Amino acid sequence: MTGSEPNPPAPSEAAKTWARIAALSFGGPAGQIAVMHRILVEEKRWIGERRFLHALNFCMLLPGPEAQQLATYLGWLLNGTRGGLIAGGLFILPGLLSIMALSWLYALHGEAPLVAAIFFGLKAGVLAIVLQAVIRLGRRALGGWLARIVAVVSFLSIFVLDVPFPVIVIGAALIGLLAGRGGQSRKGEPDEDGLKTPPMAGALFAGCLALLAWLVPVVLLALFVPGTVFDVIARFFSQMAVVTFGGAYAALAWVAQEAVAVQGWLRPGEMLDGLGLAETTPGPLIMVLQFVGFLAAFRDAGGLPPLLAGTLGGLLATWVTFAPCFAWIFLCAPWMERLRGSVAPAAALSMVTAAVVGVILNLALWFALHSLFGDVMLWQAGPVRLTLPVLVSFVPSFAALTLLALGLIFWRGVGIGTTLGIMAVAGVLLHLAGLV
């Protein structure tokens, strides 16, 4: 479609399409972005290829879940502020409902032997999926020597030196900006879809409202119930919403460290359980944070019924995770539309993505150490901090399941959903055989 200015879809038609996309949004951000591209660019032809990629590159530069933010951005392009709210909201809704129901099930029956066996199998599948994410992202992001160096330095910084994740991302972005200086710009070239940019005023107003919707509950909790689990959840996940670049896997590297080692909300294996739930339900993988918030409040209810506290904690974690996402899009997307073709965002993105490869590799190694071994120990010498396995605590049954999951994904090419289903069954069979 060239040289034409298509009429944007009616809001009702767009809502049906976004609901369809949300229902098909399995498989992590790569799969979700692919679904959006197939339906919006190839099937509906509402968005042009170049416009789609420009929006995607911008969303990957933002903290938070890039697929949900891309849906909000594209919804705004098609139908203005209302379209952005519909697209972003519908993208979240299936995962929110699914993870909440599964969190209840996990809290009530997670310690039951059969349920524990299911999650034991899922953990092995999730570990294989995280390794697959490292390889896929690495193939796409590590094309040059500078990107490879940034990835290696990022991994060593977080795994060996315990450098905060935001510092790694900011440093990588600065390297990208410096490396990209002097690149050629394509600003001024016409878009192949002829799609008009929505008015800026409405988006900026919605962005300000989203900021208020995010910050007001955080401030109120800090003022009236300081130090409670709800106050801590609001502040912790708000900080995460500002500094976690690179999507769910990168965010989990920090959340796992803080929620497990610092706050003590979950055990290491439970982070894998939560990610397994998020992998098997539609919606953003970052919805695993609702599971974390649920368990944190469920276990520290503060006088409330535990299930009610858990539900409120999960919803609060979801609110402070996604409200900023709407703010970033509505406040920044109009300006980014004016910068189409600029090389600076793309240059910063390339190095941030390279750094995220190293961070995700750290996450995979962290998960593997805590799953393949029953005990780990911390070794420290000066600034060097290493988590090392206690070899006698090796878990052979988990190693066998992990090898099975790796074979399914890398050798047989089995999809994520099918792999996780097989691994859940395998966990149950090991339980029935008395091996777990």
Side-chain angles (χ1 to χ4, degrees):
M1 182 171 55
T2 59
S4 62
E5 290 196 8
N7 292 322
S12 58
E13 182 184 2
K16 293 178 182 177
T17 300
W18 287 113
R20 176 186 167 200
I21 290 172
L24 296 173
S25 60
F26 292 86
Q32 294 156 1
I33 291 167
V35 168
M36 276 187 270
H37 184 275
R38 177 171 60 83
I39 293 177
L40 300 176
V41 178
E42 299 176 4
E43 178 184 318
K44 298 291 186 179
R45 296 185 178 272
W46 289 342
I47 299 285
E49 180 77 27
R50 192 186 305 156
R51 203 69 169 271
F52 183 92
L53 291 176
H54 172 77
L56 174 59
N57 286 340
F58 168 61
C59 292
M60 291 190 72
L61 284 171
L62 294 173
E66 65 268 28
Q68 188 271 340
Q69 291 174 135
L70 178 61
T72 306
Y73 194 133
L74 298 179
W76 170 74
L77 279 179
L78 292 170
N79 294 106
T81 302
R82 177 171 59 172
L85 291 171
I86 290 173
L90 285 177
F91 196 81
I92 297 168
L93 186 60
L96 184 152
L97 297 176
S98 301
I99 294 297
M100 183 58 70
L102 291 170
S103 296
W104 273 57
L105 177 64
Y106 187 91
L108 293 174
H109 304 292
E111 299 298 328
L114 187 60
V115 175
I118 292 173
F119 282 104
F120 186 79
L122 286 176
K123 290 176 191 177
V126 169
L127 178 57
I129 290 167
V130 174
L131 291 172
Q132 182 189 44
V134 174
I135 294 173
R136 283 185 171 180
L137 186 58
R139 287 173 177 169
R140 186 175 75 238
L142 306 183
W145 63 268
L146 182 58
R148 296 188 186 103
I149 291 175
V150 168
V152 171
V153 171
S154 298
F155 168 74
L156 294 176
S157 297
I158 196 168
F159 183 74
V160 177
L161 300 176
D162 203 22
V163 176
F165 178 65
V167 174
I168 294 173
V169 170
I170 293 171
L174 290 175
I175 291 172
L177 289 173
L178 291 174
R181 292 180 63 182
Q184 296 297 314
S185 173
R186 286 171 31 188
K187 290 172 66 175
E189 293 186 14
D191 291 303
E192 75 274 30
D193 56 17
L195 195 64
K196 293 182 178 179
T197 302
M200 179 180 289
L204 296 180
F205 180 72
C208 292
L209 288 181
L211 281 178
L212 289 174
W214 165 36
L215 294 174
V216 167
V218 177
V219 172
L220 291 178
L221 288 169
L223 289 175
F224 293 104
V225 286
T228 64
V229 67
F230 300 105
D231 174 39
V232 177
I233 287 173
R235 288 187 285 107
F236 171 68
F237 288 110
S238 292
Q239 294 170 12
M240 190 216 65
V242 174
V243 299
T244 48
F245 298 81
Y249 290 116
L252 280 174
W254 185 32
V255 172
Q257 180 184 25
E258 293 291 322
V260 176
V262 178
Q263 301 293 342
W265 288 336
L266 296 89
R267 295 183 293 273
E270 291 177 329
M271 285 297 303
L272 281 173
D273 292 340
L275 186 55
L277 296 180
E279 291 277 13
T280 55
T281 54
L285 288 180
I286 202 74
M287 195 60 73
V288 66
L289 302 186
Q290 178 175 274
F291 174 80
V292 175
F294 181 98
L295 286 186
F298 179 83
R299 291 167 174 170
D300 186 13
L304 292 175
L307 285 175
L308 174 60
T311 301
L312 293 176
L315 293 176
L316 178 60
T318 302
W319 184 267
V320 298
T321 296
F322 287 101
C325 296
F326 288 98
W328 308 151
I329 296 299
F330 289 134
L331 291 175
C332 301
W335 302 102
M336 290 304 299
E337 284 295 299
R338 297 186 177 189
L339 296 175
R340 290 198 306 274
S342 173
V343 298
L349 167 66
S350 64
M351 291 303 107
V352 170
T353 306
V356 167
V357 173
V359 172
I360 298 175
L361 178 59
N362 167 73
L363 173 67
L365 187 56
W366 187 90
F367 277 162
L369 287 172
H370 286 85
S371 300
L372 290 169
F373 299 89
D375 295 304
V376 296
M377 61 181 180
L378 180 65
W379 180 86
Q380 185 169 359
V384 176
R385 294 166 54 91
L386 288 176
T387 300
L388 301 175
V390 177
L391 297 181
V392 295
S393 67
F394 181 67
V395 184
S397 56
F398 188 85
L401 286 181
T402 303
L403 290 175
L404 173 61
L406 291 170
L408 290 172
I409 290 177
F410 290 100
W411 181 45
R412 304 297 298 179
V414 178
I416 289 176
T418 303
T419 296
L420 290 174
I422 293 173
M423 299 312 300
V425 172
V428 171
L429 292 178
L430 285 179
H431 168 67
L432 295 177
L435 298 177
V436 296

